[in-house]
Amino acid sequence: MPPLSNLAVRDIETLVHPYTNLAAFRETGPLVLERGRGVFVYDNEGKAYIEGMAGLWCTALGYGNEELVEAAAAQMRKLPFGHLFTAKSHDPAIELAERLKEIAPVPTSKVFFCNSGSEANDTQVKLVWYMNNALGRPRKKKIISRIKAYHGITIASASLTGLPANQTDFDLPIANIRHAACPHHYRFARDGESEQEFSARLAEELEQLILAEDPDTVAAFIAEPVMGAGGVIPPPAGYFAAMAPVCAKYDLFLICDEVITGFGRLGTMFGCNAVGFAPHAISVAKALSSAYIPIAAVMLPEVMYQAMLAESRKIGTFGHGFTYSGHPVAAAVALKTLEIYTRERIVDAVAAKIPQFQSRLNALGTHPLVGEARGLGLVGAVELVADKRSKRSFDAKAGVTARCAQFAQDEGLIVRALADAITLCPPLVITLPQINDMFDRLARALDRTLDWATREKLLVL
Ligand SMILES: Cc1ncc(COP(=O)(O)O)c(C=O)c1O
């Protein structure tokens, strides 16, 4: 292994890295990025990488967008901070809320701003509880999420998240959170079960779960249109159409986590439109500002707002909000981002690129290491297996996906290893030749992983 750079050594001694094996990291050190342009980022030695994950599913407009930089600078000069507490306000927050209401895929009464996807989903949980107290049904509090869902890492959001690493030894989940089955057909369908049949069974299981819990205690269902950090799992055919009537039957409030899928990712402005999910409330973040600055929002319906009004009358205030809720600089950048999406017809532009992205992705399904190639819109994954026929996974300790991500990095491509999957979620501005380039690099990384895994005798032959 080459010696660690001075920056790497300083990093190891000072930073705690999220989602990193902190012990292994002390040997490997970080990849230190210095700058970016378009879909490329450059490390501190000048090496270029295609940012195949748009950072963390978020830099939708790519890197080096001067309009966003200018929007931030202009707002900083004018009013660098303003808050929304105690009846204060400012233009950018008002305008951004109006804009979000205009483009909302479902009737939206009001917008509550926060700074991250986790805060948005934490807020969703609190607002459901608050609403049901206002509506005089204090027992109706349980929220149903799903195994392998990712909704963030604050205490309520991490509880909604259905991944062991976010809960083990953090003493989570909290009370009143339940997890329904993961809708991954390749992994969890029974032999011969079609996607439609699988969806119907999951809906039946959801109903059994609600009945077992007592419907009067179940308040809400939360879902991502496509599961992201759980390994990019698109819903099986008919999934939301099957789940929605069960939720309606027991009067569940529907929350759509659009933190990854909002603003064009699936070839529709909101992901819920692409998968046939009609929620009551929506969480957005990431592409809202193309990740140039943190901002997130909860888009909520009139029924919830009326309940909040009632509580506010009773208690004397609405006791929830962050110092940086609706920060004017973040709101100004988000407004400019939405303006660019409209001007550049981002939804149509993405829709035009999806066929090529998905066809290159699907073609990887024939690779000897790939058990399943799956995706929707401009997001996808390949699941690596030790044996294609039996779908047997590699032993997690062998670190095969991490190795593949490292080979991709050597090839100048940043991907993410998430359990058995290698995931892709490039900036929405990626061009068709760049899509080809990205998949060529990933194919080389898979070949190198195959050679390595063969040498290590990790494959079932
Ligand atoms: C679907 C989804 N929800 C919520 C979050 C949490 O967002 P944040 O990391 O901004 O708290 C993420 C982050 O990746 C996400 O993918």
Side-chain angles (χ1 to χ4, degrees):
M1 196 175 297
L4 294 173
S5 69
N6 173 278
L7 263 180
V9 171
R10 283 161 54 201
D11 177 308
I12 290 168
E13 294 314 323
T14 48
L15 284 174
V16 175
H17 285 267
Y19 290 92
T20 300
N21 179 329
L22 299 179
F25 174 74
R26 295 195 65 81
E27 307 298 319
T28 59
L31 169 68
V32 182
L33 296 179
E34 207 168 70
R35 63 195 176 86
R37 183 136 305 264
V39 299
F40 287 92
V41 289
Y42 299 82
D43 70 17
N44 60 340
E45 285 165 2
K47 178 173 171 175
Y49 305 82
I50 296 179
E51 217 333 335
M53 281 301 294
L56 290 171
W57 333 78
C58 55
T59 52
L61 292 172
Y63 297 77
N65 188 306
E66 286 299 325
E67 280 187 85
L68 298 185
V69 176
E70 270 314 307
Q75 185 59 44
M76 279 201 181
R77 284 187 201 103
K78 198 168 153 197
L79 182 70
F81 178 74
H83 62 80
L84 305 179
F85 282 37
T86 56
K88 308 291 186 301
S89 198
H90 49 76
D91 281 14
I94 297 166
E95 248 188 83
L96 182 60
E98 283 175 351
R99 188 76 192 104
L100 286 171
K101 280 185 63 169
E102 272 165 32
I103 63 172
V106 291
T108 295
S109 171
K110 301 288 177 288
V111 176
F112 176 84
F113 287 116
C114 35
N115 309 288
S116 68
S118 299
E119 287 179 5
N121 290 327
D122 249 62
T123 297
Q124 297 273 18
V125 171
K126 288 179 72 178
L127 292 186
V128 166
W129 291 347
Y130 203 63
M131 174 176 74
N132 281 351
N133 285 329
L135 294 175
R137 40 192 206 184
R139 292 181 66 232
K140 203 166 174 67
K141 294 289 164 57
K142 291 174 191 160
I143 318 253
I144 298 185
S145 178
R146 300 171 306 162
I147 292 166
K148 293 208 181 188
Y150 190 78
H151 297 298
I153 50 78
T154 46
I155 285 181
S157 293
S159 300
L160 296 172
T161 289
L163 297 167
N166 299 109
Q167 300 183 344
T168 307
D169 291 345
F170 284 117
D171 291 9
L172 296 174
I174 54 172
N176 283 332
I177 308 288
R178 300 289 182 274
H179 291 88
C182 172
H184 189 185
H185 183 266
Y186 171 76
R187 278 285 160 216
F188 304 118
R190 292 178 183 149
D191 278 351
E193 196 174 40
S194 71
E195 288 196 26
Q196 289 281 358
E197 288 162 351
F198 178 52
S199 294
R201 175 162 65 83
L202 294 188
E204 265 172 49
E205 287 177 15
L206 174 68
E207 181 155 21
Q208 292 313 315
L209 173 64
I210 295 169
L211 290 171
E213 292 292 335
D214 176 358
D216 288 346
T217 69
V218 183
F221 173 71
I222 181 167
E224 305 151 85
V226 173
M227 288 181 151
V232 178
I233 302 168
Y239 177 74
F240 284 105
M243 301 293 271
V246 176
C247 294
K249 184 169 172 188
Y250 299 104
D251 195 15
L252 268 53
F253 189 81
L254 300 180
I255 303 163
C256 186
D257 183 341
E258 293 267 5
V259 167
I260 288 178
T261 51
F263 314 105
R265 175 63 54 190
L266 304 186
T268 48
M269 186 51 96
F270 289 87
C272 60
N273 289 135
V275 299
F277 180 28
H280 300 105
I282 291 176
S283 298
V284 290
K286 297 192 190 273
L288 173 55
S289 61
S290 193
Y292 275 50
I293 193 160
I295 183 165
V298 169
M299 297 158 70
L300 56 99
E302 183 65 17
V303 58
M304 181 171 256
Y305 179 63
Q306 287 302 326
M308 291 160 71
L309 277 183
E311 283 295 294
S312 205
R313 273 190 206 105
K314 185 181 86 188
I315 299 168
T317 187
F318 172 58
H320 181 73
F322 303 96
T323 298
Y324 303 123
S325 284
H327 192 290
V329 178
V333 173
L335 269 171
K336 182 56 76 177
T337 305
L338 296 185
E339 182 189 317
I340 297 172
Y341 292 156
T342 306
R343 191 184 71 215
E344 309 282 325
R345 297 175 171 278
I346 196 79
V347 170
D348 296 342
V350 169
K353 290 182 271 200
I354 289 171
Q356 182 169 340
F357 178 88
Q358 290 296 334
S359 110
R360 288 293 315 256
L361 178 69
N362 282 334
L364 293 177
T366 60
H367 192 278
L369 275 186
V370 175
E372 185 188 39
R374 56 177 182 261
L376 198 67
L378 281 190
V379 59
V382 287
E383 180 159 331
L384 307 191
V385 288
D387 180 14
K388 274 172 94 100
R389 240 171 320 139
S390 68
K391 304 184 183 177
R392 200 177 107 188
S393 303
F394 287 106
D395 179 355
K397 289 205 184 70
V400 177
T401 47
R403 182 66 65 139
C404 184
Q406 183 58 52
F407 284 135
Q409 202 166 293
D410 296 347
E411 296 288 339
L413 169 64
I414 295 181
V415 295
R416 182 107 181 255
L418 285 165
D420 297 322
I422 295 288
T423 61
L424 285 175
C425 182
L428 302 181
V429 294
I430 193 167
T431 63
L432 294 177
Q434 287 168 342
I435 288 176
N436 279 335
D437 190 2
M438 178 175 74
F439 280 104
D440 291 346
R441 292 176 198 227
L442 180 56
R444 291 199 293 274
L446 284 168
D447 288 344
R448 289 173 68 177
T449 311
L450 178 62
D451 288 347
W452 168 80
T454 308
R455 280 199 307 276
E456 299 286 319
K457 300 192 176 18
L458 298 173
L459 289 158
V460 178
L461 294 170

